[in-house]
Amino acid sequence: MNRLVRWLEDYVLPLASRLGQIRWLVALRDAFISLMPITIAGSLAVLIKSLVIAARDHLGWETFAYLMQPLVSISNLVWRGTFSLYAFFFALALGYQLAKAFEGNRLAAAIVSLSSFALSIANVAQIKFHGDNIAVKNAFDISQFSTTGLFTAILFGSIGFAIYLACYKGRIMIQMKANLPHAEQAAFDSMIPAMIAIFSIGGINYLFQVMKGKYFGNWLLTSIQEPLVKWGQGFGTVLLVTLLVQVFWFFGINGLGVLSPIFDSIWLTAQNGNITAIRNGHVPPYLWVRGSFDVFAWFGGAGGTLMLIVAILIFSKRTDYRTIAKISLAPGIFNIGEPILLGLPVVLNPVYLIPFLLTPVVNVAFSYWISVMGLVNPVQVAVPSIMPPIIGPFLACNYDWRAIILSIVDMLIALAIWSPFVIAADKIADTNNPKTFFSTQF
């Protein structure tokens, strides 16, 4: 056990620390996080529409469905203003967060990032007219502003910002001697760098169209984004990233925060694809998405530590452990694991290394194959990460009652894994601190 911990300290911990210090990755993570209000609002719109449809089709509540039509119409409008423009908003957020990380003009950077994204997607929309497909030039297809264009937003938003920042830091700007209001001065300072960045991105896309005969964004979608998202559906890939998150957390590093750019770029894209499919009445195309980790593995926080809390309250006789567990129970129900991770502690505690790594991996493996067999709906709605277990899976799987059963089984599995180590921790404590007449614990 000690050798394993030392090996992780020598090889894995430095990698996690370096990743956490890369400002571009931090900005990418923060950009995804900043869009949480849009994500939840769009998902709530899907939930409302799905609830009305389920009540009408399965319960026969025709009157209820009729009365709810105004609410469904509002939900459709909310959808069009949130999820259908996800990549559009992301390009803005990415530019802003990059400027925040690299100390540039945040508003100008956000605009440059958005402009770079818009330059890189096709300005040809396909519409159907009497059964024929008609191409309309100089018009954006709104689907390109959804998660379909997410990788394009990441790539060209970052490149556009990098060119802008290099010019901005290099003081390639109009030197104004007059005293101007701050907003005007900032606009003049950013004008030349922004123009250079935007024309550079335009030139890149023009050359690509000349050489390849297609828009860069379309090529990026078919050549990189779709294969990468499909790669993320593999069983081995899902288990590997689950294990990495746990390893980072064991050393006190927020594993999900370190790997968030990877998680969100691959599995959040897949999740948004499922949400869009359900919204349009189609079958969800992806089996495992970003929310699948939260609802089926990380209940109580990383490591499924809600069941560690339950195991301590059931099996442990140590007063200090039980006190920490009682304090951590309420946060744990809402998937906040820091009190138990840092208070017990689980972090850097060799006794809990094996269950901390093993529990989420077993839960993910079990839930993955249950999903493969079609015994539960894949996650197709984004729910807040603080949604309690059982309720969260039920909503995330679009009111699938089988998700409740799967969630309970996962928690029982986690309890079975954690319990022997909780009992062992009590025995180790008794051996290291034998009880005497003067002991305060009995």
Side-chain angles (χ1 to χ4, degrees):
M1 182 74 70
N2 290 332
R3 290 180 181 177
L4 176 60
V5 173
R6 284 198 298 270
W7 183 85
L8 293 173
E9 288 178 340
D10 292 340
Y11 296 100
V12 179
L13 184 58
L15 174 62
S17 299
R18 289 169 187 168
L19 288 175
Q21 294 172 358
I22 298 176
R23 287 188 284 179
W24 179 81
L25 292 179
V26 173
L28 186 61
R29 177 200 65 195
D30 291 344
F32 278 110
I33 293 173
S34 65
L35 294 187
M36 184 63 67
I38 289 175
T39 304
I40 299 303
S43 296
L44 183 59
V46 174
L47 280 175
I48 291 173
K49 184 176 181 179
S50 298
L51 177 62
V52 173
I53 293 175
R56 182 193 63 197
D57 295 345
H58 300 292
L59 301 177
W61 292 5
E62 297 288 345
T63 303
F64 172 79
Y66 175 77
L67 294 175
M68 290 295 104
Q69 279 308 306
L71 185 58
V72 171
S73 298
I74 293 173
S75 297
N76 290 335
L77 292 173
V78 170
W79 169 266
R80 290 214 310 266
T82 54
F83 255 109
S84 64
L85 299 174
Y86 188 89
F88 178 92
F89 292 124
F90 181 84
L92 277 172
L94 179 60
Y96 180 90
Q97 296 295 344
L98 283 170
K100 180 180 177 181
F102 289 92
E103 300 177 355
N105 185 313
R106 300 180 188 183
L107 179 58
I111 294 172
V112 168
S113 177
L114 176 59
S115 178
S116 300
F117 166 56
L119 286 170
S120 309
I121 60 177
N123 63 339
V124 178
Q126 298 288 338
I127 63 173
K128 285 188 176 181
F129 183 75
H130 296 303
D132 297 326
N133 288 326
I134 301 176
V136 181
K137 295 184 178 180
N138 299 319
F140 287 117
D141 182 354
I142 194 173
S143 66
Q144 297 182 85
F145 287 113
S146 67
T147 52
T148 302
L150 185 58
F151 273 61
T152 307
I154 293 174
L155 177 62
F156 283 101
S158 300
I159 295 175
F161 169 79
I163 298 172
Y164 162 79
L165 184 68
C167 296
Y168 187 82
K169 294 292 186 180
R171 305 297 295 175
I172 303 176
M173 57 184 63
I174 299 175
Q175 302 295 332
M176 301 293 294
K177 295 182 179 180
N179 293 324
L180 297 176
H182 176 74
E184 293 184 20
Q185 184 66 54
F188 275 108
D189 289 347
S190 297
M191 184 169 61
I192 300 300
M195 291 174 61
I196 294 174
I198 292 170
F199 272 90
S200 297
I201 297 298
I204 292 172
N205 281 278
Y206 171 77
L207 291 175
F208 189 87
Q209 290 177 44
V210 170
M211 292 185 295
K212 292 290 186 179
K214 61 173 65 176
Y215 282 88
F216 208 129
N218 291 359
W219 175 84
L220 191 67
L221 172 65
T222 57
S223 301
I224 297 179
Q225 179 172 332
E226 290 181 354
L228 193 59
V229 173
K230 289 180 180 178
W231 172 76
Q233 299 301 297
F235 180 63
T237 306
V238 171
L239 287 190
L240 176 61
V241 296
T242 304
L243 182 61
L244 286 176
V245 169
Q246 296 305 124
V247 170
F248 290 160
W249 256 118
F250 182 75
F251 290 98
I253 297 173
N254 188 327
L256 191 55
V258 171
L259 299 177
S260 180
I262 298 174
F263 267 92
D264 292 339
S265 299
I266 297 176
W267 286 281
L268 184 59
T269 301
Q271 177 171 293
N272 292 343
N274 278 4
I275 296 173
T276 301
I278 290 298
R279 163 65 178 73
N280 296 326
H282 301 152
V283 176
Y286 299 107
L287 179 74
W288 197 265
V289 300
R290 175 63 184 84
S292 304
F293 295 96
D294 292 330
V295 299
F296 294 132
W298 294 328
F299 36 82
T305 48
L306 178 60
M307 290 300 101
L308 168 61
I309 295 171
V310 173
I312 290 173
L313 295 177
I314 295 175
F315 298 107
S316 180
K317 297 180 180 178
R318 289 195 55 172
T319 304
D320 53 346
Y321 281 10
R322 293 180 63 83
T323 299
I324 294 172
K326 291 175 182 177
I327 294 173
S328 305
L329 180 59
I333 291 174
F334 295 96
N335 300 323
I336 300 172
E338 282 80 358
I340 191 72
L341 288 174
L342 304 176
L344 194 59
V346 176
V347 171
L348 291 174
N349 188 338
V351 176
Y352 291 123
L353 173 63
I354 292 177
F356 188 67
L357 300 183
L358 184 63
T359 300
V361 171
V362 172
N363 283 149
V364 164
F366 180 73
S367 301
Y368 181 94
W369 289 109
I370 290 294
S371 301
V372 168
M373 292 184 288
L375 298 179
V376 67
N377 287 343
V379 170
Q380 48 201 245
V381 174
V383 297
S385 60
I386 60 172
M387 190 66 68
I390 300 176
I391 299 175
F394 176 66
L395 295 177
C397 294
N398 206 4
Y399 306 112
D400 188 353
W401 61 269
R402 298 172 298 179
I404 296 176
I405 297 176
L406 177 56
S407 177
I408 294 173
V409 172
D410 279 334
M411 288 191 290
L412 291 176
I413 292 173
L415 180 63
I417 295 174
W418 277 111
S419 296
F421 292 90
V422 170
I423 296 172
D426 269 23
K427 292 181 179 180
I428 292 172
D430 289 342
T431 302
N432 293 338
N433 301 287
K435 296 174 183 176
T436 67
F437 178 79
F438 299 100
S439 297
T440 57
Q441 299 181 25
F442 291 94

